[in-house]
Amino acid sequence: MLLITNNKKFIEIKEDLLAKGIKVEFLDEDYIGVLQHGRDLIHGGYELLTHPLYGSVKPNETIYRTIILKEGSKLDFNSLGLIEDAIQTAEKFKKNKLTPNWTERVKDDFRVIDYDLMSKTVRRIINE
């Protein structure tokens, strides 16, 4: 499995995740950049294990995004459709209202939300 994120909280547990068979790829990208990188990997045969628009935080409110994929053997059109729709949705939200220039405290709150949601998802995936 591959966890792609722009949330530095995952760097802190990178070794723990690697020990569980999950590679962590940290990107210095914005929300949409993470989704676009995921789309590029899907074109290369990866499949989404998580929905790219999980949670209730709108794409123009948070700057953090984490997605989990697994290697596949061919182009997964369901994953491609999901990620393309997510990119279009994020771009639409961003066009309508730009992401505020949050304080570091608010950014940390968004990091915690993303981290908490995805950490629980990772545990669920591993235990299936």
Side-chain angles (χ1 to χ4, degrees), residues 10-54:
F10 284 100
I11 293 174
E12 299 167 9
I13 64 161
K14 186 176 183 174
E15 295 304 317
D16 293 337
L17 290 172
L18 192 57
K20 294 174 182 171
I22 302 170
K23 181 181 171 189
V24 176
E25 189 173 331
F26 179 79
L27 303 175
D28 188 20
E29 296 281 344
D30 65 0
Y31 186 109
I32 294 173
V34 172
L35 296 177
Q36 290 170 333
H37 184 70
R39 178 197 55 207
D40 295 345
L41 289 170
I42 290 167
H43 277 285
Y46 278 81
E47 296 176 37
L48 280 172
L49 292 180
T50 57
H51 195 285
L53 294 178
Y54 62 86

Side-chain angles (χ1 to χ4, degrees), residues 14 19 36 42 51 74 76 80 82 87 118-119:
K14 186 176 183 174
Q36 290 170 333
I42 290 167
H51 195 285
K74 60 183 178 180
D76 181 65
L80 183 60
L82 283 171
I87 292 168
M118 293 312 291
S119 294

Side-chain angles (χ1 to χ4, degrees), residues 57-116:
V57 181
K58 293 181 179 115
N60 62 333
E61 293 175 344
T62 185
I63 57 176
Y64 302 105
R65 185 65 1 180
T66 302
I67 56 175
I68 302 173
L69 305 107
K70 70 175 183 176
E71 281 190 73
S73 57
K74 60 183 178 180
L75 178 61
D76 181 65
F77 288 100
N78 186 47
S79 293
L80 183 60
L82 283 171
I83 201 89
E84 288 287 358
D85 288 347
I87 292 168
Q88 287 178 357
T89 298
E91 288 173 342
K92 179 181 74 176
F93 271 94
K94 196 170 187 175
K95 183 178 178 183
N96 290 338
K97 185 178 179 188
L98 292 176
T99 304
N101 188 13
W102 297 116
T103 65
E104 193 57 38
R105 183 174 175 199
V106 172
K107 287 179 185 179
D108 193 52
D109 287 344
F110 282 125
R111 281 190 289 267
V112 168
I113 292 167
D114 177 67
Y115 176 82
D116 186 56

